[in-house]
Structure formats: C-alpha cells, structure tokens
Amino acid sequence: MIMKMLVLLIAISLVTCSCQKADKQPVYKASNYSIYKNKVVQGEYTAQVHSSSHISSDYQSPANATFPNFIEFKFAINGKDNELPIGVNHTFLLQTNEQGKIELPLLTFGQKHKTEVYTNATGSIAPNTEVTIRVDASDVINSFDEKGYFEANNGQKIYQEDYNGIYIAGNLAPLGWDFDNLNGRADRQLMDNNNDGIFEITLSLNPYNPDDFTAKEWKLQHDLSKYPQLQTDIPLIDALYNLALDETEINIENDGTFRTGEEWPGVWTRDVSYSILLAYAYTNPDIAKTSLMRKVKNDRIIQDTGTGGAWPVSSDRTTWALAAWEVYKVTGDQEWLETIYPIIKNSVEDDLQTLFDNQSNLVKGESSFLDWRKQTYPVWMNGVDIFDSRCLGTNAVHAQAYYLLSEMATLLGEDAQKYQALANRTKLAINNELWMEEKGYYAQYLYGRHGLMSSPRSEALGEAFTILFNIADNNQAQSIISNTPVVDYGIPCIYPQIPGIPPYHNNGIWPFVQAYWNWACAKAKNTSALEQGLAAMNRSAALFLTNKENMVAENGDFRDTEVNSNRQLWSVAGYLSSVYRIFAGMNFETDGLRFQPYIPKNYGQYFKLSNIKYREAQINLTIKGYGTEIKSCLINGKPSEAFIIADDKGQFDIHIELSEEPSEIQAKMAVDNSFSLATPLVKANRNKLNWDEVKDATAYQIIKNGQVIETTTDTEYIATPEAYYTEYCIKAINDAAYSFASEPIAFIPATSQTIQAEQDKQKRTINAKGYNGGGYLELSQSNNRYIKYQFTIDKPGNYIIQARYSNGSGPDNTDNKCAIRTLSVNNTKAGVWVMPQRGKDEWSNWGVTNLVHAALKKGSNTIEISFEDYNNNMNVDINTALLDEIRIIPTEN
C-alpha cells in the first residue's frame, strides 16, 4: 500500500514538473520578443496576465530616450512641398546653447545655408527642447507685390490670392513630412509679426507628455455575458479576448453605431466595413446594420473624404458590400437583403461607368485603406495619377463585390449573370496584370500615365484578399503565404518601405491587416506563418494593453507613427477574428454555420467557446487537440458534420477532436525590414533627360510608355522625337533593390491641337489667374452642364484627350468635392474626366485631367462634355471645376 502511494506521488510530481516546465516554454519565440501562456516578454518589458479580466504591463516607448540630434526640414508655401526640389531639405546637426535651447541661423527661402551638413546623428536631444527656426521670405512677398504671384522651384506659379501662409515640415517630432495635412496647422505655421519678411517659429523638440503612454494595467470594465465566453489553457488568449470585447463595448456610441477609435469619432465606411466582416456581423449585427446604413446617401454607398475630394479617386466604398452580405449570412434577414441589394447595385453601376477600365478589366482608384498618398505612392503622383492607378486590394474588393452581388441577385430572383461575369473578368485580370511569378505574390499596383508600370512591392491586405476571395488558386495561395515578406513584429502594409517617408502605412504594421493576413494563412493551412501572425497580434495587444491603430514595422513601437489611436475599431475586431475565424473556424454560409477549427500545437489542447448565439440556436463549442483536420465531431452526443443548419433551434453542444497531425509546410521566417532606392528626380531640356545620382543605385532603367527600353549607368538620356505622344521615366536599380519610376516626362508632337475652353459671353462666379488664352469655362451643377466643341483632324487614328483644369473646392488630400464629367466623342462616350481638388480656394492652381483615349476620323469631329447622373460626387451639391483648354494629342495606341 505504501509502495503504491509512493508511486502515485512520484507520478503526480512528474506530471506537475512537466506542466510547470511546459508553462515556462514560450508559445512563440521571435527575435525580439517571446509569447508565453500567461505573459509577453520583450527585452526589459513584460505584460503579465493575472486573470482573464486583468493584465498589467510595464512597457514604455523608447522614443524619447533615443531622439536624434540631426534635423531635416523644409518650408512650404500653403503647406505644399514647393521650397526646395523634392528630396532636398535643410539639414543641421543640433546643439543647445547655454540656456538649453537651439537657435538655427537665418535661412533664405529656397536656398541652402552654408553651414548645413548632412550626417548621422551624434547624440540625443533632451525632451521638450526648444528650437527657433527663421526664414527670410522677403523675395516671396516682394514677388506677390510686384507680379501678383511667386514662381516656386518646380515652375508652379502661386498667386497672391491663393496665398495663405508659410509652414514647416520635417523629420523630428513634433514635425512630420505630412504635406497633405500641413495647410492650416497653426502649430506648424511660421509668422511674420513685424512685417519685415522674416518668418519665425519656435518648436518643442522631443515632446514628452506622460499621458501619451499606455496604461499600466487593464481591468475588465463591462459585463460581457451577452458575448461568447472563451476558456482555453492559454490564459493570455482568454484575457486578450476579453480585452477586445471590453474595447468593443467602449466603441459603441449612444446612437447605436460603432466609433472608429478613441481618436476617431463617427462611422467611416471602410473601417466599419472591414471590422464587421472580421467579427461584428456576428457579435453585434444590429449595431453593424445601423452603422452601415449611416454610410448611405441617395441609395448609394458613401465613400468617405479622401484624396483629391474622395470618390472616384478613393474608390473602395464597395467594402460596404462585403460587410452587408456578412450581416445577411449571419442573420438570414430577408428585409435586410432587400434593403442592401439596390444600394450595392446602384453604387457598383456608378463605379462601372467611372472606374472600370475595359481595356485591362481592372478598376481604377486608390489602394484600399492605403489612402495617404506619399505613404504608399511616389511623391509625384497627384490625385489624377492615383485615380488612374490599378491597385491590388481595391480590385480584389471590387471582384468580391461583383460576386456577392450575383449571389444576392440569385436569392432575389434577378439576373445574376452580368455580375458573375464581371467577377470572373476582374479576377482573371488581377492574375494577368498583377501576378509576379518571379516573386511568388501579386504586385502592389499599376501606375503611370500613358503607359502603366508595375510596382513590385507586396501589399499585405491585397495579398490576403486574393486568398480569402478565391482570386489566387491553391498553388498561388501557398506561394503568397510563403513568399510575401514579414518582419519580426508582423506583416508590414507594404514591402519594401519607401525611403524618407515616416512610419504610418509606410514602414507600418496595422493589426487589422495582420488579422486578414492571419485568416488567409489559416485558409492556406500554413501553420508556421499563422503562428508568426498570431504572435504579432498578441505581443502588441498585451504590451500596449489596447488594440492600437498601428505601429512601426522596424521596432514594433506605437509612438513614432504619424497618427495613432487606442482601441481602433478594426484592430479590436481583428483580435476577435483570431478566436472566431481561426481557432473556432466559424464560417457563415447562407444555409448555416460551419466550424473548421485551426489551432496550432503550441496554443494548447483545450478550447471552449460557450454562449454562441446563431439565429435561434444556442451553441457551446468544445475543441480538444490541435491541427486543422477534424478527427471526430459530436453534436449533442451524436456523430455529425460540424455544421449548424440555419433553421436549427435550441441548445447544441458541439465536441470536436482535432487530428493533431504535424504541419509539413516549411517554416515562415521573418526578414529584415528593407527600404527601396530613392526615386530619381528627372529634368528635361528639350529632348535631353538629366537626373542626379541615386544613393546605392548601380544603374538606371529607361522606361518609354511603360516599357523598359534600355539600362544605363549614365545620368542622362537623349529621347528620340516621335510623331506620337511619348512618355519617359527613369528607375534606379541595383542587384537587390529598385526605386519607383520617376515622374513621366511627356513629349507632345507638334501635330497636337489645343481648344480654348472659354466661350463668348460666359458668366463666371469664380475669379482665377494663370489660365492660357482668353479665359476659362466654369463647370458646376448649374453652369455649363453640357458643352460641345467641334474641331478638324487631318489624319485619322488614335488620340488622347486631356484638359487643363483647376478645382479650389477643397484641399488635395481630403474632403468630397472631386469634379467629374463625362467625355463623349462623336456622340459616343469615350470616358470620364476626373478633376480632383488641388487646394482650398486655390482656383489659380492649374493641373491636367486623366488621359481619355478616342479614335478620331479625318475631318470634322465633336467633343461633348456633360454632367451625367453617375458623375455625382460624394458631396452631391458641389461638383465644380474651371476648364482652361482641351488638348488633342495623337498616340500610337
């Protein structure tokens, strides 16, 4: 008897020791941090789980401790990058005086100072150090007085009527390089208080505020009993799940809608839609419905304010369709289906008239969610250029929206063939135009003007969508997960990063993007990649004790991104999706709820999600084991498929045992963060192109009409004059890296024609300068809704038609007043002209529209410019532009 008890005690001791040893083993070990069952450790910092409702963290951002003493900055009239050439900045090594302050020498606008140096930082600046910066801008002011305008280094004329101040942008906080949002920022504006032409600003470098740091602990604030209850043998997962539900409750506004984040009030179309698809269609369907309907106007989906005045430059409003359909699948609400179908159909039909390119079968417009211009595009691309790009993520969203519209049409007894065909066409086009066989994933976008080029960066959200939306086949899906670069702290939005652009989308990791990537990893059954992605989400949520909007890809910190927010809605939903979409494998179908769990081995052997409410069914789900394959499934004690039929009612206890088969896929390894080469700045003197050497470049590609025609080590090139419109770009390369292509240099043949847009006795309400010819034409809702021009062509063939325009209805980075008009040639629609905003009240700031292609006949031809119903922008009331002249240029194709 004593011997038996001794054996039993030894066995218990061995089991206890084994369990204790297992608890000390990391769930996941990265280069810079480790995930354990009950804590996260990163260097000297630890996030500790005390219970499923309590976590503490001693994490502190290192940003203030390592603030460099080297500054780069430039001045900006009207907040725009117009003082020095792009890529050229004022540069100083900072030193404090006896008072602990910094004073730089008086600078002259547009000129580098003789004491400027370009070097690495040699030390740090103490928190809240004052620096005074002064600039002599008397030449600018005198030019306004004498000429009525000032000509910037890029040749643009800034008229006195449009002038609203001199601002500063730079690399050190509180400065940033965000020219898009600089205009109007009083804290970045230099002042000339004594009218001597000397403008001055005093800044506090390395700003420190204890309130900017994250909380030291999280304790549950809300009753979560209405939500599914999670219990696993990983306390960290249980606690972070409850943290996400707690933040969900905080993000619910009194009006029954979702708040976008702590710093972002209101409902935003894209944010709420991606959040609903991830989790909230299931957890909060009524709030999801109310939030979605808040983003509808005139029976169409609202595209939120964005580049150049929003839609059609920003063009991913069909994310709404993904969310609305998911709500239907969860609820089975027929009235909801009948409500959303015409809204989605109307929006898609307008998009087809404006965005769809029948030549490539791709949709035009900005990258979905990557909507901060210079963060993911070359700096030369303006609103027109971005409209004309074809982006991976946006096209994936549209392809899925077409497919879902066909599904809705079928359910409602309508013809689904058109939208199914569109879905197939767009999916095929994504594969034909954007798949990169040599890299094993899709290209970021096509960009350019006359000839489009591929940007070979990865784009994480779009890559994930191609898998989730069945655009990539199985082999492609495996390749995407294996080859798309991830860094130690997660998957960056793009890779490689853009040099000289501060972290946000560029050099940034966004938890909601990580969530979609993780979902795609699970669908592709790549356990190694999934484990890396789950660890990235667990690290940030635990250390920061909130679901942050974003973080820096290089160091995983939250402080140095351009903008950030706590409890960002889609980040919160992203964490919930790891429980619902991955661990529980919940997949809502039109006829039921399917469970296909995916639990990596290190995430335990026990998972229970109780109080799952699905229509009229109450479900308790218990999973034992690990892996992706279901070994057995019992529902209420009977062997069954892991599926609850939509009409099922009552209590269902589901017990799933996983097969515990090891993953055979090669380990997913994080790579070092990497930056591309700088974009060449090209100048043209007649037909001679010149550019400065690009650091680390070993050669330069000469690109003509989108095609590489030559590679050279020179920094000049002689272009050959042609009888057709021709564009040249330069791209810097070396054996391992590349740059964006430079801004296209256009060569316009002498056979081109120019039509002056102004007409006799025209009534104007807007005054502008800088136009060509005798005046300009004012286009608005009430003026010149239909205009016709007649002209003669000597040689029939292909032509491109472009207009010179201005739009001062708003800033060039936001608002909703992009002007749109339909262009018809010889009574046949040729396309649309998109005229984005170029600056608030800057009606003398002229640019050019997108190129519209048309076949012209010999002899008399007509151009009609009309305002059609589908030309309504997101403002609806204001759709105004000034038209200076129309250019008709022969092209080869």
Side-chain angles (χ1 to χ4, degrees), residues 33 125 185 207 243 318 336 391 406 469 489 500 564 643 656 667 690 732 794:
Y33 64 91
I125 295 294
R185 288 199 59 168
L243 167 64
T318 44
W336 175 250
C391 302
S406 73
F469 300 159
Y489 297 101
N564 214 332
F643 185 77
I656 292 175
N690 297 90
D794 294 330

Side-chain angles (χ1 to χ4, degrees), residues 324-335:
W325 174 249
E326 194 68 16
V327 170
Y328 168 72
K329 288 195 297 180
V330 169
T331 63
D333 186 339
Q334 184 68 17
E335 183 179 352

Side-chain angles (χ1 to χ4, degrees), residues 400-474:
Q400 184 69 354
Y402 301 149
Y403 167 71
L404 298 182
L405 198 53
S406 73
E407 293 286 287
M408 296 178 206
T410 300
L411 289 172
L412 293 171
E414 297 202 12
D415 184 8
Q417 185 174 357
K418 173 183 177 179
Y419 300 112
Q420 182 62 63
L422 277 168
N424 293 337
R425 282 173 64 186
T426 306
K427 289 180 179 181
L428 181 62
I430 291 170
N431 281 297
N432 288 340
E433 301 291 338
L434 295 172
W435 177 254
M436 301 182 294
E437 187 65 36
E438 72 281 5
K439 288 186 174 291
Y441 49 83
Y442 292 93
Q444 178 185 18
Y445 49 66
L446 303 180
Y447 69 115
R449 287 176 184 159
H450 180 47
L452 298 185
M453 303 158 283
S454 170
S455 173
R457 283 177 168 82
S458 64
E459 192 259 281
L461 186 62
E463 309 292 349
F465 282 166
T466 62
I467 297 172
L468 295 173
F469 300 159
N470 299 314
I471 296 167
D473 62 28
N474 184 61

Side-chain angles (χ1 to χ4, degrees), residues 265-476:
V267 182
W268 294 5
T269 303
R270 178 191 305 123
D271 297 55
V272 79
S273 297
Y274 282 145
S275 302
I276 289 168
L277 180 58
L278 282 167
Y280 292 137
Y282 166 62
T283 59
N284 304 84
D286 291 335
I287 296 170
K289 289 179 182 179
T290 304
S291 299
L292 287 171
M293 292 307 296
R294 189 65 58 86
K295 306 308 296 183
V296 176
K297 185 176 182 178
N298 296 335
D299 292 325
R300 285 160 174 80
I301 305 163
I302 296 172
Q303 180 82 48
D304 288 319
T305 56
T307 298
W311 188 87
V313 180
S314 296
S315 58
D316 67 342
R317 60 178 174 168
T318 44
T319 53
W320 192 96
L322 280 57
W325 174 249
E326 194 68 16
V327 170
Y328 168 72
K329 288 195 297 180
V330 169
T331 63
D333 186 339
Q334 184 68 17
E335 183 179 352
W336 175 250
L337 179 63
E338 292 170 0
T339 297
I340 65 175
Y341 176 72
I343 294 169
I344 298 169
K345 184 177 180 181
N346 291 340
S347 305
V348 164
E349 289 296 334
D350 285 353
D351 286 352
L352 289 172
Q353 292 279 7
T354 307
L355 302 172
F356 196 80
D357 174 33
N358 285 301
Q359 184 172 357
S360 67
N361 289 321
L362 293 174
V363 169
K364 300 180 181 181
E366 196 166 44
S367 291
S368 182
F369 129 81
L370 301 173
D371 58 349
W372 193 335
R373 294 174 58 182
K374 296 169 187 175
Q375 283 285 330
T376 50
Y377 290 94
V379 293
W380 56 262
M381 285 183 71
N382 57 33
V384 171
D385 297 318
I386 292 173
F387 162 76
D388 235 0
S389 63
R390 281 76 154 165
C391 302
L392 175 62
T394 301
N395 272 275
V397 167
H398 279 267
Q400 184 69 354
Y402 301 149
Y403 167 71
L404 298 182
L405 198 53
S406 73
E407 293 286 287
M408 296 178 206
T410 300
L411 289 172
L412 293 171
E414 297 202 12
D415 184 8
Q417 185 174 357
K418 173 183 177 179
Y419 300 112
Q420 182 62 63
L422 277 168
N424 293 337
R425 282 173 64 186
T426 306
K427 289 180 179 181
L428 181 62
I430 291 170
N431 281 297
N432 288 340
E433 301 291 338
L434 295 172
W435 177 254
M436 301 182 294
E437 187 65 36
E438 72 281 5
K439 288 186 174 291
Y441 49 83
Y442 292 93
Q444 178 185 18
Y445 49 66
L446 303 180
Y447 69 115
R449 287 176 184 159
H450 180 47
L452 298 185
M453 303 158 283
S454 170
S455 173
R457 283 177 168 82
S458 64
E459 192 259 281
L461 186 62
E463 309 292 349
F465 282 166
T466 62
I467 297 172
L468 295 173
F469 300 159
N470 299 314
I471 296 167
D473 62 28
N474 184 61
N475 289 334
Q476 286 175 308

Side-chain angles (χ1 to χ4, degrees), residues 851-868:
L851 305 172
V852 174
H853 293 253
L856 300 180
K857 61 186 179 180
K858 183 177 182 179
S860 179
N861 291 263
T862 60
I863 289 176
E864 300 96 27
I865 303 168
S866 61
F867 183 85
E868 307 295 339

Side-chain angles (χ1 to χ4, degrees), residues 116-189:
E116 293 188 33
V117 294
Y118 192 89
T119 183
N120 293 323
T122 59
S124 297
I125 295 294
N128 299 323
T129 298
E130 283 191 3
V131 60
T132 299
I133 300 174
R134 299 178 300 147
V135 61
D136 183 349
S138 54
D139 286 349
V140 176
I141 304 304
N142 292 337
S143 183
F144 283 149
D145 293 340
E146 296 168 6
K147 301 178 182 178
Y149 65 86
F150 173 75
E151 187 168 338
N153 76 84
N154 58 6
Q156 181 190 3
K157 292 179 179 179
I158 303 166
Y159 286 85
Q160 188 171 21
E161 292 84 352
D162 294 345
Y163 171 73
N164 58 27
I166 297 176
Y167 298 82
I168 185 171
N171 69 319
L172 296 184
L175 298 178
W177 289 115
D178 179 19
F179 290 101
D180 288 337
N181 293 295
L182 192 55
N183 192 7
R185 288 199 59 168
D187 61 330
R188 309 281 174 88
Q189 184 174 6

Side-chain angles (χ1 to χ4, degrees), residues 454-566:
S454 170
S455 173
R457 283 177 168 82
S458 64
E459 192 259 281
L461 186 62
E463 309 292 349
F465 282 166
T466 62
I467 297 172
L468 295 173
F469 300 159
N470 299 314
I471 296 167
D473 62 28
N474 184 61
N475 289 334
Q476 286 175 308
Q478 299 300 331
S479 177
I480 291 165
I481 300 300
S482 296
N483 293 302
T484 301
V486 300
V487 299
D488 205 36
Y489 297 101
I491 187 163
C493 296
I494 61 171
Y495 189 95
Q497 316 307 327
I498 305 170
I501 302 297
Y504 187 62
H505 296 139
N506 184 61
N507 197 17
I509 292 170
W510 289 60
F512 98 92
V513 175
Q514 186 73 62
Y516 276 106
W517 174 255
N518 293 354
W519 192 359
C521 291
K523 184 176 180 181
K525 295 188 177 182
N526 190 315
T527 301
S528 177
L530 177 58
E531 287 177 326
Q532 199 272 349
L534 291 171
M537 294 194 71
N538 290 327
R539 182 203 72 90
S540 59
L543 288 175
F544 306 156
L545 294 177
T546 184
N547 290 278
K548 283 281 188 182
E549 182 178 2
N550 51 57
M551 65 207 73
V552 182
E554 279 187 299
N555 60 19
D557 188 39
F558 61 86
R559 270 289 305 279
D560 284 337
T561 63
E562 289 284 87
V563 182
N564 214 332
S565 177
N566 293 337

